[in-house]
C-alpha cells in the first residue's frame, strides 16, 4: 500500500496534471491521435492498481469494429484501455461521477441511458458515427457486472441498433469482435471463488469498499482474449449475432478460469 501511495503522489498525480489539459485540447480540436494519452493513462493505471495484463489475440484496428465483452469490475476498463484503442459505452450516471466523468469524457465515452428505451437510438447513432470513422467501440453486452465465474446473457438491443446506425453513417467492412476479460491469479496463485469479491464489484459492497479492496489487494493477473472478428452485415439477425458472440465469450472465460486451452478461433498476434 505504501508503494501505491508514493506512486500516486509522485508519478500519477504529476502525470494527470500535465495530461488532462493536453487531452482536453486534443479532443476539442478533434485531432486524430486522441487515443494516445488515454492509452498511456490506462497503462499507468494498471501499474497503480497492481494489474499484470496478458493479451491473447489481437484487437481489430483500422476498420469499424464493435467489440462485445463480459464485465467483472471497473478495473476492466483500465485493463482493456491499456491494450486496445477503444471508446467505451457506459451508463449515463458515469458522466456525473466526480473525476471519473471527466476522464470518461476525455476518452470520448458514449453514454447509454438504460432506463429509457427511447435513448437506444441516440446511443446507437453515436456508436455508428464513431465506428464509421474506422474506430472501435466496446460494449459491455451483459448490461451489468458479474463476479467473473460465468457470463450473463448478452443484450442485443444496442448491438442491433448500432448495426443499422453504422450502415446509415456510411461504415463499410464492419466487424464484431468478442472479447473476454478474465482475472486468473492473485499474487501468482489461482483465484478462488471467495477471493473474487476482492476484484468484482458485487452489489453487497459500496463503491468505496470496492475501491479499498482493490487498492489494498494483491497483484492481479488479468487476461484479455480477443476472438477473430466476424463480419457484421445490415441483414444479419441481431439476436443471432449477439448470441454467437455471447457463447464465444462464455467459452473463453471458462477456459481461462480453468487454465486450459482456448476454444475456437482467436485473432492472430
Amino acid at each position: 500500500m505504501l508503494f501505491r501511495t508514493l506512486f500516486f503522489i509522485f508519478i500519477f498525480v504529476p502525470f494527470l496534471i500535465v495530461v488532462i489539459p493536453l487531452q482536453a485540447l486534443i479532443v476539442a480540436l478533434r485531432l486524430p491521435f486522441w487515443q494516445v494519452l488515454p492509452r498511456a493513462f490506462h497503462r499507468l493505471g494498471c501499474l497503480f492498481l497492481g494489474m499484470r495484463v496478458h493479451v491473447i489475440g489481437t484487437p481489430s484496428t483500422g476498420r469499424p469494429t464493435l467489440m462485445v465483452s463480459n464485465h467483472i469490475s471497473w478495473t476492466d476498463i483500465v485493463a482493456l484501455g491499456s491494450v486496445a484503442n477503444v471508446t467505451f459505452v457506459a451508463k449515463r450516471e458515469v458522466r456525473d461521477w466526480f473525476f471519473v466523468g471527466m476522464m470518461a469524457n476525455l476518452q470520448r465515452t458514449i453514454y447509454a441511458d438504460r432506463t429509457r428505451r427511447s435513448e437506444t437510438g441516440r446511443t446507437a447513432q453515436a456508436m455508428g458515427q464513431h465506428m464509421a470513422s474506422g474506430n472501435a467501440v466496446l460494449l459491455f453486452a451483459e448490461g451489468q457486472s458479474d463476479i467473473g465465474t460465468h457470463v450473463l446473457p448478452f443484450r442485443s438491443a444496442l448491438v442491433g441498433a448500432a448495426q443499422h446506425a453504422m450502415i446509415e453513417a456510411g461504415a463499410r467492412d464492419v466487424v464484431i469482435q468478442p472479447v473476454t476479460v478474465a482475472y486468473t491469479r492473485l499474487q501468482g496463485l489461482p483465484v478462488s471463488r471467495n477471493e473474487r469479491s476482492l476484484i468484482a464489484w458485487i452489489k453487497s459492497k459500496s463503491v468505496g469498499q470496492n475501491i479499498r479492496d482493490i487498492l489494498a489487494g494483491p497483484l492481479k493477473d488479468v487476461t484479455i482474449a480477443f476472438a477473430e472478428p466476424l463480419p457484421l452485415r445490415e441483414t444479419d439477425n441481431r439476436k443471432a449475432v449477439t448470441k454467437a458472440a455471447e457463447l464465444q465469450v462464455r467459452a473463453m472465460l471458462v477456459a481461462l478460469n480453468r487454465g486450459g486451452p482456448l476454444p475456437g478461433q482467436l485473432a492472430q498476434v
Side-chain angles (χ1 to χ4, degrees), residues 35-254:
Q35 297 169 324
V36 174
L37 293 178
R39 186 86 171 262
F41 167 77
H42 289 301
R43 287 182 175 178
L44 205 60
C46 286
L47 290 174
F48 174 61
L49 296 172
M51 294 196 300
R52 292 188 301 202
V53 182
H54 310 274
V55 179
I56 299 176
T58 306
S60 173
T61 58
R63 53 181 169 175
T65 302
L66 176 61
M67 296 182 180
V68 287
S69 172
N70 63 313
H71 192 21
I72 299 169
S73 171
W74 56 271
T75 55
D76 300 350
I77 296 170
V78 182
L80 286 161
S82 72
V83 298
N85 293 327
V86 296
T87 288
F88 294 95
V89 179
K91 58 184 181 180
R92 182 185 55 80
E93 300 94 294
V94 171
R95 184 171 48 193
D96 302 323
W97 291 355
F98 174 72
F99 182 73
V100 175
M102 177 185 67
M103 299 305 291
N105 289 337
L106 292 178
Q107 196 169 345
R108 299 178 64 183
T109 296
I110 298 169
Y111 300 102
D113 189 345
R114 295 170 185 159
T115 63
R116 301 173 61 184
R117 297 188 65 180
S118 59
E119 288 292 301
T120 300
R122 182 197 60 78
T123 303
Q125 186 177 28
M127 293 168 62
Q129 290 173 347
H130 189 73
M131 285 184 279
S133 300
N135 299 306
V137 170
L138 189 140
L139 176 67
F140 292 115
E142 294 165 298
Q144 60 182 331
S145 59
D146 194 60
I147 63 172
T149 56
H150 59 284
V151 175
L152 299 174
F154 279 9
R155 299 181 180 183
S156 64
L158 268 180
V159 174
Q163 178 184 11
H164 295 294
M166 284 186 290
I167 305 301
E168 292 173 4
R172 297 292 181 268
D173 189 28
V174 179
V175 296
I176 183 168
Q177 184 171 37
V179 180
T180 301
V181 180
Y183 294 80
T184 55
R185 291 180 175 273
L186 287 177
Q187 209 63 38
L189 299 175
V191 184
S192 69
R193 186 178 181 87
N194 291 335
E195 289 173 328
R196 292 195 175 277
S197 63
L198 300 176
I199 301 169
W201 190 347
I202 59 178
K203 294 180 180 178
S204 60
K205 285 187 178 183
S206 66
V207 177
Q209 186 179 3
N210 178 254
I211 292 174
R212 285 193 298 272
D213 284 345
I214 288 174
L215 290 179
L219 182 69
K220 293 167 279 291
D221 283 276
V222 189
T223 298
I224 310 293
F226 296 93
E228 187 70 31
L230 301 172
L232 183 60
R233 295 173 289 266
E234 186 177 13
T235 55
D236 288 340
N237 182 285
R238 66 177 175 87
K239 291 187 177 181
V241 169
T242 305
K243 189 64 177 179
E246 174 195 324
L247 292 175
Q248 194 159 3
V249 170
R250 179 176 290 116
M252 289 193 295
L253 180 65
V254 170

Side-chain angles (χ1 to χ4, degrees), residues 11-37:
I11 297 179
F12 213 4
V13 171
F15 175 83
L16 293 175
I17 290 173
V18 174
V19 163
I20 288 175
L22 184 57
Q23 179 66 6
L25 179 63
I26 291 171
V27 171
L29 295 177
R30 298 182 179 275
L31 298 178
F33 50 85
W34 64 271
Q35 297 169 324
V36 174
L37 293 178

